[in-house]
């Protein structure tokens, strides 16, 4: 029995199977949409079944019920401005590095391809900051993480729940010096799709290439404002006005396994779970936290997670919350994303017609116009309209 007997739609692309194979006969192959799946060299395969025994789909990783929930914001503005929300993941990783350890997280390479990498300096760690709404290539860090754990170094790994599950199964050992941090994840588009989008965006901006893409820039406050950086141009925009980003928000471009994700639930794979604390003031109306800088929700799932949070508490504002409140503002904690009908044809349309096809669809949505108005209409006009609306109700 080998990994090919696992249903393709269930494969998350964590590639733990490839890394555990003793004869290195499992490789990644990309499907037409650009998602990686395992392929076996049947000649080399020795039928040991280690790949199947490691696969987190067939061998579910232990999930942890949340002990405590918090709202968290880092005190360091340099951290906050480069983090997607409240900067908690960076602080956990920074503490590990300050203590002589290492941290693993998603970074861009020079071509804006997303992969997990190891950081042992604060400067290297800064590349891991910010959301990257692309499936990260996680396959190269398994052995590095194991080696660091065996050496006794403090290790923090930040990844999606399925990546953390794959790593747990690969290690098959509870290293006390390892802290696993899982992200509240909606789903992941492919790198191939992002590459196509960057090519389309380059033509839109009339530049040779895009140098950097920040999905969650805070120049205009905490939210979903993107920032594109080219050689001589910088552009800001709202998520719902841009085809790749809006398609992500509408769940049109995710990997097939994301729509049946077994980790989109209250029980978690990590010692700590982190995400955005959307609608923070709705649940904590008396708080003095400046939400324009971003607020993280933090679910502490193990004693190790609690100890790690306590170890960074001097650099954090921490507000006790509840699991129910955090779940209410993060749908991915209660179930996977709904698969829209257009998903079956989405990648084929992009291949055939490019992102112009997607942009035309986006411009027909209410969300597009709402986003445009929010960004372009002056605050004074918005206040006047709000007052007028109030008078009409009376």
């Amino acid at each position: 029995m080998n990994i090919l007997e696992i249903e393709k739609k269930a494969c998350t692309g964590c590639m733990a199977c490839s890394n555990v194979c003793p004869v290195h006969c499992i490789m990644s192959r990309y499907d037409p949409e650009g998602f990686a799946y395992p392929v076996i060299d049947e000649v080399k395969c020795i039928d040991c079944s280690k790949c199947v025994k490691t696969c987190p789909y067939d061998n579910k990783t232990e999930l942890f019920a949340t002990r405590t929930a918090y709202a968290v914001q880092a005190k360091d503005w340099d951290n906050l401005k480069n983090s997607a929300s409240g900067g908690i993941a960076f602080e956990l990783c920074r503490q590990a590095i300050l203590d002589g350890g290492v941290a693993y997280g998603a970074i861009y390479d020079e071509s804006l391809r997303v992969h997990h990498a190891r950081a042992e300096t604060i400067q290297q760690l800064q590349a891991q900051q910010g959301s990257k709404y692309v499936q990260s290539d996680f396959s190269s860090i398994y052995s590095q993480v194991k080696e660091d754990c065996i050496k006794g170094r403090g290790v923090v790994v930040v990844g999606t729940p399925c990546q953390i599950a794959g790593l747990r199964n690969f290690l098959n050992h509870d290293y006390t010096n390892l802290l696993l941090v899982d992200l509240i994840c909606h789903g992941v588009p492919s790198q191939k799709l992002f590459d196509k989008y960057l090519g389309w965006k380059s033509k839109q901006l009339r530049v040779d290439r895009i140098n950097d893409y920040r999905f969650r820039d805070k120049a205009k406050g905490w939210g979903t404002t993107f920032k594109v950086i080219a050689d001589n141009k910088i552009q800001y925009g709202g998520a719902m006005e841009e085809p790749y980003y809006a398609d992500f928000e509408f769940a049109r471009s995710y990997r097939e396994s994301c729509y049946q994700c077994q980790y989109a639930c209250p029980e978690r794979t990590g010692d700590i779970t982190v995400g955005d604390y959307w609608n923070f003031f709705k649940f904590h109306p008396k708080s003095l936290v400046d939400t324009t800088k971003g607020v993280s929700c933090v679910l502490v799932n193990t004693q190790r997670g609690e100890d790690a949070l306590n170890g960074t508490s001097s650099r954090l504002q921490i507000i006790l919350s509840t699991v129910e409140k955090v779940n209410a503002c993060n749908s991915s904690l209660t179930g996977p994303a709904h698969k829209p009908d257009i998903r079956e044809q989405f990648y084929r349309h992009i291949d055939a017609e490019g992102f112009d096809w997607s942009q035309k669809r986006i411009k027909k949505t209410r969300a597009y116009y709402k986003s445009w108005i929010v960004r372009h209409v002056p605050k004074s006009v918005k206040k006047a309209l709000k007052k007028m609306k109030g008078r009409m109700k009376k």
Side-chain angles (χ1 to χ4, degrees):
M1 184 177 183
N2 62 45
I3 199 69
L4 296 186
E5 295 180 39
I6 303 297
E7 184 183 5
K8 182 180 178 181
K9 287 185 178 182
C11 175
T12 65
C14 72
M15 301 311 294
C17 56
S18 174
N19 281 269
V20 81
C21 177
V23 293
H24 309 293
C25 74
I26 304 176
M27 299 156 287
S28 296
R29 180 174 294 171
Y30 294 87
D31 73 356
E33 295 179 346
F35 292 107
Y37 291 90
V39 175
I40 293 178
D41 184 337
E42 299 283 0
V43 176
K44 292 183 180 179
C45 180
I46 58 175
D47 290 321
C48 66
S49 297
K50 283 190 175 182
C51 54
V52 176
K53 293 174 183 176
T54 301
C55 176
Y57 174 75
D58 234 24
N59 300 272
K60 293 184 179 179
T61 308
E62 181 182 3
L63 299 180
F64 304 97
T66 297
R67 297 178 171 202
T68 322
Y70 301 97
V72 174
Q73 185 182 77
K75 296 177 182 178
D76 179 3
W77 172 236
D78 286 333
N79 169 6
L80 272 179
K81 69 182 179 182
N82 293 310
S83 298
S85 50
I88 176 61
F90 181 84
E91 291 299 346
L92 293 169
C93 293
R94 171 155 60 181
Q95 189 60 52
I97 290 172
L98 291 175
D99 291 339
V102 295
Y104 292 82
I107 70 168
Y108 287 126
D109 68 11
E110 293 182 356
S111 300
L112 297 187
R113 299 187 67 82
V114 183
H115 67 283
H116 266 63
R118 180 177 184 268
E120 54 182 344
T121 67
I122 304 302
Q123 184 177 6
Q124 291 173 339
L125 180 62
Q126 288 168 345
Q128 297 179 14
Q129 288 187 278
S131 294
K132 301 167 183 71
Y133 296 140
V134 185
Q135 182 162 32
S136 174
D137 183 349
F138 197 77
S139 61
S140 67
I141 71 166
Y142 285 92
S143 296
Q144 282 185 307
V145 170
K146 185 174 183 178
E147 184 177 343
D148 283 328
C149 287
I150 291 172
K151 287 180 178 178
R153 300 188 76 174
V155 180
V156 180
V157 182
V158 181
T160 61
C162 58
Q163 290 172 334
I164 298 301
L167 180 59
R168 279 195 184 277
N169 281 8
F170 168 82
L171 294 173
N172 195 29
H173 182 83
D174 185 24
Y175 292 98
T176 58
N177 52 322
L178 173 65
L179 179 73
L180 297 176
V181 181
D182 75 86
L183 304 167
I184 299 175
C185 176
H186 305 282
V188 289
S190 72
Q191 181 69 53
K192 178 182 176 181
L193 184 71
F194 189 52
D195 291 343
K196 283 179 176 289
Y197 165 69
L198 292 174
W200 178 84
K201 193 65 183 174
S202 296
K203 291 180 181 178
Q204 294 284 308
L205 295 176
R206 298 180 180 179
V207 297
D208 291 334
R209 66 188 295 270
I210 305 298
N211 297 324
D212 194 11
Y213 194 98
R214 301 178 187 176
F215 284 95
R216 303 283 300 282
D217 189 82
K218 287 183 178 171
K220 301 179 186 297
W222 177 40
T224 55
T225 297
F226 68 84
K227 180 181 181 181
V228 183
I229 302 173
D231 290 335
N232 58 351
K233 291 184 180 180
I234 294 177
Q235 183 190 62
Y236 295 93
M240 290 301 179
E241 300 165 55
E242 198 72 358
Y244 180 92
Y245 209 156
D247 288 326
F248 171 82
E249 293 286 344
F250 285 126
R252 293 170 179 158
S253 55
Y254 300 165
R255 188 183 181 101
E256 282 289 349
S257 60
C258 298
Y259 301 108
Q260 53 182 358
C261 178
Q262 60 184 320
Y263 307 112
C265 62
E267 295 75 30
R268 309 304 297 171
T269 61
D271 298 294
I272 289 182
T273 298
V274 301
D276 289 278
Y277 206 133
W278 300 119
N279 297 319
F280 170 75
F281 273 131
K282 176 181 177 181
F283 300 105
H284 298 278
K286 296 181 180 180
S287 173
L288 299 179
V289 171
D290 180 359
T291 57
T292 63
K293 295 179 179 179
V295 183
S296 296
C297 61
V298 177
L299 301 177
V300 174
N301 310 316
T302 67
Q303 184 59 51
R304 193 174 303 161
E306 190 75 59
D307 293 342
L309 183 63
N310 290 337
T312 59
S313 60
S314 63
R315 296 197 298 273
L316 303 170
Q317 295 185 68
I318 302 176
I319 298 169
L320 182 65
S321 190
T322 69
V323 174
E324 291 74 21
K325 290 175 181 178
V326 172
N327 286 354
C329 60
N330 282 281
S331 60
S332 298
L333 291 172
T334 54
H338 171 72
K339 182 179 179 180
D341 292 339
I342 193 63
R343 174 61 181 85
E344 295 294 346
Q345 298 84 33
F346 176 80
Y347 278 85
R348 287 195 289 270
H349 278 296
I350 295 295
D351 283 343
E353 303 170 59
F355 274 94
D356 286 336
W357 169 83
S358 178
Q359 183 74 333
K360 289 175 184 176
R361 291 180 59 87
I362 296 302
K363 287 185 175 181
K364 293 178 182 179
T365 64
R366 182 180 298 179
Y368 173 88
Y369 290 101
K370 183 178 179 180
S371 175
W372 191 94
I373 290 169
V374 167
R375 289 200 314 110
H376 292 88
V377 174
K379 288 183 179 180
S380 58
V381 175
K382 292 176 190 174
K383 287 181 180 179
L385 289 172
K386 193 173 182 179
K387 286 182 180 179
M388 188 183 299
K389 186 177 179 181
R391 289 170 188 161
M392 290 175 66
K393 284 183 178 180
K394 292 178 181 178

